[in-house]
Amino acid sequence: MRLVEGVATIDDLDAFLGELTTIGEETGCTVQAFDARYVVDRTHLERALEFADRAIDRGENVARDRGVEVMLYAAGRRQIDRALTLGVSEGECSVVVLVAAEEDGEAGGDETEGNEDTSDEAAAASAVRDLLTPSDTLGDYDEALVREYFDVTETELAATAGTLADVIHERVALLDVRK
């Protein structure tokens, strides 16, 4: 799995998503864009991919598309319409794009570690990078927005020994329990 960070200036959402779809089809990778304001850290998306792949392997997936299934887990929700809130929108948008080879969510290494291989993931990540203005967006989430979206109350946050990111990781994992 690779994560590509940056800022996208999206004039036509359908055209932008179409470009990502084309990249995915040409490389055989899942390419899913997220609004970076909702992504608490790398683990958030790693776990979403892991649980989505597990659901698909077991035949328990809700979505036919792997990228949408990943988004459902990242959102901690089974309703596709609600999960799409985590996606990108028109205008200038800080984004994190997940790129994962179809056969293995971990193939190709981590983009941030400078892996220089020529895998399909590397090609897809490079093509996605060409669509973005480089910027560090991962982990630069909007705490108030995340708390509102995931319905994390002050009481819940005070009752946990962890951070807001830990609560979100738990929401990703608990989606299977809620099915």
Short mmCIF file of all heavy atoms in Angstrom, two decimals, residues 47-97:
data_model
loop_
_atom_site.label_atom_id
_atom_site.label_comp_id
_atom_site.label_asym_id
_atom_site.label_seq_id
_atom_site.Cartn_x
_atom_site.Cartn_y
_atom_site.Cartn_z
N ARG A 47 -5.61 0.07 8.29
CA ARG A 47 -6.61 -0.81 8.90
C ARG A 47 -7.85 -0.91 8.04
O ARG A 47 -8.44 -1.99 7.92
CB ARG A 47 -6.96 -0.31 10.30
CG ARG A 47 -5.77 -0.45 11.24
CD ARG A 47 -6.14 -0.15 12.64
NE ARG A 47 -7.04 -1.21 13.09
CZ ARG A 47 -7.24 -1.50 14.36
NH1 ARG A 47 -6.62 -0.83 15.28
NH2 ARG A 47 -8.07 -2.46 14.71
N ALA A 48 -8.26 0.20 7.44
CA ALA A 48 -9.43 0.17 6.56
C ALA A 48 -9.18 -0.79 5.39
O ALA A 48 -10.05 -1.60 5.03
CB ALA A 48 -9.76 1.57 6.04
N LEU A 49 -8.00 -0.74 4.81
CA LEU A 49 -7.65 -1.64 3.71
C LEU A 49 -7.62 -3.09 4.19
O LEU A 49 -8.15 -3.99 3.54
CB LEU A 49 -6.30 -1.25 3.10
CG LEU A 49 -5.78 -2.17 1.99
CD1 LEU A 49 -6.72 -2.19 0.80
CD2 LEU A 49 -4.38 -1.72 1.56
N GLU A 50 -7.01 -3.31 5.33
CA GLU A 50 -6.91 -4.67 5.88
C GLU A 50 -8.30 -5.28 6.10
O GLU A 50 -8.57 -6.41 5.70
CB GLU A 50 -6.14 -4.62 7.20
CG GLU A 50 -6.11 -5.92 7.96
CD GLU A 50 -5.51 -5.76 9.37
OE1 GLU A 50 -4.87 -4.73 9.65
OE2 GLU A 50 -5.69 -6.69 10.17
N PHE A 51 -9.18 -4.53 6.74
CA PHE A 51 -10.52 -5.05 7.03
C PHE A 51 -11.37 -5.16 5.77
O PHE A 51 -12.17 -6.09 5.65
CB PHE A 51 -11.21 -4.19 8.09
CG PHE A 51 -10.65 -4.38 9.47
CD1 PHE A 51 -10.02 -3.35 10.12
CD2 PHE A 51 -10.75 -5.62 10.11
CE1 PHE A 51 -9.49 -3.52 11.40
CE2 PHE A 51 -10.23 -5.81 11.38
CZ PHE A 51 -9.60 -4.76 12.03
N ALA A 52 -11.21 -4.25 4.84
CA ALA A 52 -11.94 -4.35 3.57
C ALA A 52 -11.52 -5.61 2.81
O ALA A 52 -12.38 -6.34 2.30
CB ALA A 52 -11.70 -3.10 2.72
N ASP A 53 -10.22 -5.85 2.74
CA ASP A 53 -9.73 -7.05 2.06
C ASP A 53 -10.23 -8.32 2.74
O ASP A 53 -10.61 -9.29 2.08
CB ASP A 53 -8.20 -7.05 1.98
CG ASP A 53 -7.67 -6.13 0.89
OD1 ASP A 53 -8.46 -5.68 0.03
OD2 ASP A 53 -6.45 -5.86 0.91
N ARG A 54 -10.26 -8.29 4.05
CA ARG A 54 -10.75 -9.46 4.78
C ARG A 54 -12.24 -9.69 4.49
O ARG A 54 -12.65 -10.83 4.26
CB ARG A 54 -10.53 -9.28 6.28
CG ARG A 54 -10.88 -10.55 7.08
CD ARG A 54 -10.55 -10.41 8.52
NE ARG A 54 -11.49 -9.47 9.13
CZ ARG A 54 -11.44 -9.09 10.40
NH1 ARG A 54 -10.47 -9.53 11.18
NH2 ARG A 54 -12.33 -8.28 10.88
N ALA A 55 -13.02 -8.63 4.47
CA ALA A 55 -14.45 -8.76 4.15
C ALA A 55 -14.65 -9.30 2.74
O ALA A 55 -15.50 -10.18 2.51
CB ALA A 55 -15.15 -7.41 4.31
N ILE A 56 -13.86 -8.82 1.79
CA ILE A 56 -13.96 -9.28 0.41
C ILE A 56 -13.58 -10.76 0.33
O ILE A 56 -14.28 -11.56 -0.31
CB ILE A 56 -13.09 -8.41 -0.51
CG1 ILE A 56 -13.69 -7.01 -0.62
CG2 ILE A 56 -12.94 -9.05 -1.89
CD1 ILE A 56 -12.76 -5.97 -1.24
N ASP A 57 -12.50 -11.14 0.99
CA ASP A 57 -12.06 -12.54 0.99
C ASP A 57 -13.13 -13.47 1.57
O ASP A 57 -13.27 -14.61 1.13
CB ASP A 57 -10.76 -12.71 1.78
CG ASP A 57 -9.55 -12.12 1.08
OD1 ASP A 57 -9.63 -11.84 -0.14
OD2 ASP A 57 -8.52 -11.92 1.77
N ARG A 58 -13.86 -12.99 2.55
CA ARG A 58 -14.90 -13.80 3.20
C ARG A 58 -16.26 -13.70 2.48
O ARG A 58 -17.21 -14.34 2.91
CB ARG A 58 -15.08 -13.34 4.64
CG ARG A 58 -13.90 -13.62 5.52
CD ARG A 58 -14.13 -13.08 6.91
NE ARG A 58 -13.05 -13.42 7.79
CZ ARG A 58 -12.96 -13.01 9.06
NH1 ARG A 58 -13.90 -12.24 9.56
NH2 ARG A 58 -11.93 -13.35 9.79
N GLY A 59 -16.34 -12.84 1.47
CA GLY A 59 -17.61 -12.64 0.79
C GLY A 59 -18.60 -11.84 1.61
O GLY A 59 -19.81 -11.91 1.39
N GLU A 60 -18.11 -11.04 2.54
CA GLU A 60 -18.96 -10.26 3.44
C GLU A 60 -18.97 -8.77 3.08
O GLU A 60 -19.50 -7.96 3.83
CB GLU A 60 -18.47 -10.42 4.88
CG GLU A 60 -18.54 -11.85 5.39
CD GLU A 60 -17.88 -12.03 6.75
OE1 GLU A 60 -17.20 -11.10 7.23
OE2 GLU A 60 -18.03 -13.12 7.32
N ASN A 61 -18.38 -8.43 1.93
CA ASN A 61 -18.31 -7.02 1.55
C ASN A 61 -19.69 -6.47 1.18
O ASN A 61 -20.56 -7.20 0.71
CB ASN A 61 -17.32 -6.83 0.39
CG ASN A 61 -17.54 -7.80 -0.74
OD1 ASN A 61 -17.55 -9.01 -0.52
ND2 ASN A 61 -17.68 -7.28 -1.94
N VAL A 62 -19.86 -5.18 1.42
CA VAL A 62 -21.08 -4.48 1.07
C VAL A 62 -20.97 -3.92 -0.34
O VAL A 62 -21.91 -3.99 -1.13
CB VAL A 62 -21.35 -3.34 2.09
CG1 VAL A 62 -22.50 -2.46 1.62
CG2 VAL A 62 -21.64 -3.92 3.46
N ALA A 63 -19.83 -3.36 -0.67
CA ALA A 63 -19.61 -2.72 -1.97
C ALA A 63 -18.99 -3.71 -2.95
O ALA A 63 -18.23 -4.60 -2.56
CB ALA A 63 -18.69 -1.51 -1.80
N ARG A 64 -19.31 -3.53 -4.22
CA ARG A 64 -18.69 -4.36 -5.26
C ARG A 64 -17.28 -3.89 -5.56
O ARG A 64 -16.44 -4.66 -5.99
CB ARG A 64 -19.53 -4.31 -6.54
CG ARG A 64 -20.86 -5.03 -6.41
CD ARG A 64 -21.59 -5.08 -7.74
NE ARG A 64 -21.85 -3.77 -8.29
CZ ARG A 64 -22.96 -3.07 -8.11
NH1 ARG A 64 -23.94 -3.58 -7.39
NH2 ARG A 64 -23.12 -1.88 -8.64
N ASP A 65 -17.00 -2.61 -5.33
CA ASP A 65 -15.71 -2.01 -5.64
C ASP A 65 -14.83 -2.00 -4.38
O ASP A 65 -15.27 -1.56 -3.30
CB ASP A 65 -15.93 -0.58 -6.14
CG ASP A 65 -14.65 0.12 -6.47
OD1 ASP A 65 -14.12 -0.11 -7.57
OD2 ASP A 65 -14.16 0.90 -5.61
N ARG A 66 -13.60 -2.47 -4.52
CA ARG A 66 -12.68 -2.53 -3.38
C ARG A 66 -12.44 -1.15 -2.78
O ARG A 66 -12.38 -0.99 -1.55
CB ARG A 66 -11.37 -3.16 -3.82
CG ARG A 66 -10.34 -3.34 -2.70
CD ARG A 66 -9.07 -3.93 -3.26
NE ARG A 66 -8.08 -4.24 -2.28
CZ ARG A 66 -6.77 -4.11 -2.51
NH1 ARG A 66 -6.33 -3.68 -3.68
NH2 ARG A 66 -5.91 -4.42 -1.57
N GLY A 67 -12.26 -0.14 -3.61
CA GLY A 67 -12.02 1.21 -3.11
C GLY A 67 -13.18 1.73 -2.26
O GLY A 67 -12.98 2.37 -1.23
N VAL A 68 -14.40 1.44 -2.69
CA VAL A 68 -15.57 1.86 -1.91
C VAL A 68 -15.63 1.08 -0.60
O VAL A 68 -15.95 1.64 0.45
CB VAL A 68 -16.87 1.70 -2.74
CG1 VAL A 68 -18.09 2.01 -1.90
CG2 VAL A 68 -16.83 2.60 -3.98
N GLU A 69 -15.28 -0.20 -0.64
CA GLU A 69 -15.26 -1.00 0.59
C GLU A 69 -14.23 -0.43 1.57
O GLU A 69 -14.50 -0.32 2.77
CB GLU A 69 -14.96 -2.47 0.28
CG GLU A 69 -15.17 -3.40 1.44
CD GLU A 69 -16.63 -3.65 1.80
OE1 GLU A 69 -17.54 -3.33 1.02
OE2 GLU A 69 -16.87 -4.19 2.92
N VAL A 70 -13.08 -0.03 1.06
CA VAL A 70 -12.06 0.61 1.91
C VAL A 70 -12.63 1.89 2.52
O VAL A 70 -12.45 2.16 3.71
CB VAL A 70 -10.77 0.90 1.12
CG1 VAL A 70 -9.81 1.75 1.95
CG2 VAL A 70 -10.09 -0.39 0.69
N MET A 71 -13.34 2.67 1.71
CA MET A 71 -13.92 3.92 2.22
C MET A 71 -14.95 3.63 3.31
O MET A 71 -15.01 4.36 4.31
CB MET A 71 -14.55 4.73 1.09
CG MET A 71 -15.04 6.08 1.58
SD MET A 71 -15.40 7.24 0.28
CE MET A 71 -13.78 7.71 -0.24
N LEU A 72 -15.74 2.58 3.15
CA LEU A 72 -16.72 2.22 4.18
C LEU A 72 -16.02 1.94 5.51
O LEU A 72 -16.46 2.41 6.56
CB LEU A 72 -17.52 0.99 3.75
CG LEU A 72 -18.52 1.20 2.62
CD1 LEU A 72 -19.06 -0.14 2.13
CD2 LEU A 72 -19.66 2.10 3.06
N TYR A 73 -14.94 1.18 5.45
CA TYR A 73 -14.21 0.89 6.68
C TYR A 73 -13.55 2.14 7.25
O TYR A 73 -13.57 2.37 8.45
CB TYR A 73 -13.19 -0.23 6.47
CG TYR A 73 -13.82 -1.59 6.61
CD1 TYR A 73 -14.35 -2.24 5.51
CD2 TYR A 73 -13.94 -2.19 7.85
CE1 TYR A 73 -14.97 -3.47 5.63
CE2 TYR A 73 -14.55 -3.42 8.00
CZ TYR A 73 -15.07 -4.06 6.89
OH TYR A 73 -15.69 -5.27 7.03
N ALA A 74 -12.96 2.96 6.40
CA ALA A 74 -12.34 4.20 6.87
C ALA A 74 -13.37 5.09 7.55
O ALA A 74 -13.07 5.79 8.51
CB ALA A 74 -11.67 4.93 5.71
N ALA A 75 -14.60 5.05 7.04
CA ALA A 75 -15.68 5.86 7.60
C ALA A 75 -16.33 5.22 8.82
O ALA A 75 -17.06 5.89 9.56
CB ALA A 75 -16.75 6.11 6.53
N GLY A 76 -16.08 3.92 9.02
CA GLY A 76 -16.71 3.23 10.13
C GLY A 76 -18.21 3.11 9.95
O GLY A 76 -18.96 3.04 10.92
N ARG A 77 -18.67 3.07 8.69
CA ARG A 77 -20.09 3.02 8.37
C ARG A 77 -20.36 2.05 7.24
O ARG A 77 -19.53 1.87 6.37
CB ARG A 77 -20.58 4.40 7.94
CG ARG A 77 -20.57 5.41 9.04
CD ARG A 77 -21.07 6.75 8.54
NE ARG A 77 -21.44 7.63 9.61
CZ ARG A 77 -20.60 8.28 10.37
NH1 ARG A 77 -19.31 8.14 10.19
NH2 ARG A 77 -21.01 9.07 11.33
N ARG A 78 -21.56 1.49 7.22
CA ARG A 78 -21.96 0.59 6.14
C ARG A 78 -22.77 1.31 5.06
O ARG A 78 -23.06 0.72 4.04
CB ARG A 78 -22.80 -0.58 6.68
CG ARG A 78 -22.09 -1.45 7.70
CD ARG A 78 -20.70 -1.90 7.33
NE ARG A 78 -20.63 -2.86 6.25
CZ ARG A 78 -19.51 -3.16 5.59
NH1 ARG A 78 -18.37 -2.57 5.91
NH2 ARG A 78 -19.51 -4.04 4.64
N GLN A 79 -23.15 2.55 5.27
CA GLN A 79 -23.93 3.29 4.29
C GLN A 79 -22.97 4.01 3.34
O GLN A 79 -22.25 4.92 3.75
CB GLN A 79 -24.85 4.32 4.95
CG GLN A 79 -25.83 3.73 5.94
CD GLN A 79 -25.23 3.58 7.32
OE1 GLN A 79 -24.22 4.17 7.66
NE2 GLN A 79 -25.86 2.75 8.14
N ILE A 80 -23.01 3.64 2.06
CA ILE A 80 -22.09 4.20 1.08
C ILE A 80 -22.26 5.72 0.98
O ILE A 80 -21.27 6.46 0.95
CB ILE A 80 -22.27 3.52 -0.29
CG1 ILE A 80 -21.80 2.05 -0.19
CG2 ILE A 80 -21.51 4.25 -1.38
CD1 ILE A 80 -22.09 1.21 -1.42
N ASP A 81 -23.50 6.19 0.97
CA ASP A 81 -23.73 7.65 0.85
C ASP A 81 -23.05 8.42 1.97
O ASP A 81 -22.47 9.48 1.75
CB ASP A 81 -25.22 7.97 0.83
CG ASP A 81 -25.90 7.57 -0.47
OD1 ASP A 81 -25.18 7.28 -1.45
OD2 ASP A 81 -27.14 7.53 -0.50
N ARG A 82 -23.14 7.91 3.20
CA ARG A 82 -22.50 8.59 4.34
C ARG A 82 -20.98 8.49 4.27
O ARG A 82 -20.27 9.42 4.60
CB ARG A 82 -22.98 7.97 5.67
CG ARG A 82 -24.25 8.52 6.21
CD ARG A 82 -24.14 9.93 6.74
NE ARG A 82 -23.59 9.99 8.09
CZ ARG A 82 -22.91 11.03 8.55
NH1 ARG A 82 -22.67 12.06 7.82
NH2 ARG A 82 -22.46 11.02 9.77
N ALA A 83 -20.49 7.34 3.83
CA ALA A 83 -19.04 7.14 3.75
C ALA A 83 -18.41 8.05 2.71
O ALA A 83 -17.25 8.47 2.87
CB ALA A 83 -18.73 5.68 3.42
N LEU A 84 -19.14 8.39 1.67
CA LEU A 84 -18.60 9.24 0.61
C LEU A 84 -18.22 10.63 1.11
O LEU A 84 -17.48 11.34 0.43
CB LEU A 84 -19.57 9.32 -0.57
CG LEU A 84 -19.72 8.02 -1.36
CD1 LEU A 84 -20.76 8.19 -2.45
CD2 LEU A 84 -18.40 7.55 -1.94
N THR A 85 -18.67 11.00 2.29
CA THR A 85 -18.27 12.27 2.90
C THR A 85 -16.75 12.33 3.03
O THR A 85 -16.15 13.40 2.93
CB THR A 85 -18.92 12.43 4.28
OG1 THR A 85 -20.34 12.43 4.12
CG2 THR A 85 -18.48 13.70 4.97
N LEU A 86 -16.10 11.18 3.22
CA LEU A 86 -14.65 11.13 3.36
C LEU A 86 -13.93 11.32 2.03
O LEU A 86 -12.72 11.47 1.99
CB LEU A 86 -14.21 9.80 3.97
CG LEU A 86 -14.08 9.76 5.48
CD1 LEU A 86 -15.39 10.00 6.16
CD2 LEU A 86 -13.49 8.44 5.91
N GLY A 87 -14.68 11.33 0.93
CA GLY A 87 -14.08 11.50 -0.38
C GLY A 87 -13.77 12.95 -0.69
O GLY A 87 -14.03 13.85 0.11
N VAL A 88 -13.22 13.17 -1.86
CA VAL A 88 -12.83 14.52 -2.27
C VAL A 88 -14.03 15.24 -2.87
O VAL A 88 -15.03 14.62 -3.23
CB VAL A 88 -11.66 14.47 -3.28
CG1 VAL A 88 -10.42 13.90 -2.62
CG2 VAL A 88 -12.02 13.68 -4.52
N SER A 89 -13.90 16.55 -2.98
CA SER A 89 -14.97 17.37 -3.56
C SER A 89 -14.36 18.44 -4.45
O SER A 89 -13.14 18.62 -4.46
CB SER A 89 -15.82 18.00 -2.45
OG SER A 89 -15.00 18.75 -1.58
N GLU A 90 -15.20 19.13 -5.17
CA GLU A 90 -14.71 20.17 -6.07
C GLU A 90 -14.10 21.32 -5.28
O GLU A 90 -14.46 21.58 -4.14
CB GLU A 90 -15.85 20.66 -6.98
CG GLU A 90 -16.24 19.61 -8.00
CD GLU A 90 -17.28 20.08 -9.00
OE1 GLU A 90 -17.85 21.18 -8.84
OE2 GLU A 90 -17.53 19.32 -9.95
N GLY A 91 -13.17 22.01 -5.92
CA GLY A 91 -12.44 23.10 -5.29
C GLY A 91 -11.05 22.64 -4.91
O GLY A 91 -10.59 21.57 -5.33
N GLU A 92 -10.40 23.44 -4.09
CA GLU A 92 -9.08 23.05 -3.61
C GLU A 92 -9.25 22.16 -2.39
O GLU A 92 -9.95 22.54 -1.45
CB GLU A 92 -8.25 24.29 -3.26
CG GLU A 92 -6.82 23.96 -2.92
CD GLU A 92 -5.97 25.21 -2.79
OE1 GLU A 92 -5.62 25.79 -3.81
OE2 GLU A 92 -5.69 25.57 -1.64
N CYS A 93 -8.62 21.00 -2.42
CA CYS A 93 -8.87 19.99 -1.40
C CYS A 93 -7.56 19.30 -1.02
O CYS A 93 -6.83 18.84 -1.89
CB CYS A 93 -9.85 18.96 -1.98
SG CYS A 93 -10.40 17.70 -0.85
N SER A 94 -7.26 19.24 0.28
CA SER A 94 -6.14 18.45 0.77
C SER A 94 -6.55 16.99 0.69
O SER A 94 -7.60 16.62 1.20
CB SER A 94 -5.80 18.81 2.21
OG SER A 94 -5.33 20.14 2.28
N VAL A 95 -5.71 16.18 0.04
CA VAL A 95 -6.09 14.79 -0.18
C VAL A 95 -4.99 13.82 0.24
O VAL A 95 -3.81 14.18 0.29
CB VAL A 95 -6.45 14.51 -1.66
CG1 VAL A 95 -7.63 15.36 -2.10
CG2 VAL A 95 -5.27 14.72 -2.57
N VAL A 96 -5.43 12.61 0.55
CA VAL A 96 -4.56 11.46 0.72
C VAL A 96 -5.16 10.41 -0.20
O VAL A 96 -6.34 10.10 -0.10
CB VAL A 96 -4.55 10.95 2.18
CG1 VAL A 96 -3.69 9.70 2.29
CG2 VAL A 96 -4.06 12.01 3.13
N VAL A 97 -4.34 9.89 -1.10
CA VAL A 97 -4.82 8.88 -2.05
C VAL A 97 -4.16 7.55 -1.71
O VAL A 97 -2.94 7.45 -1.67
CB VAL A 97 -4.51 9.28 -3.51
CG1 VAL A 97 -5.05 8.23 -4.47
CG2 VAL A 97 -5.09 10.66 -3.83
#
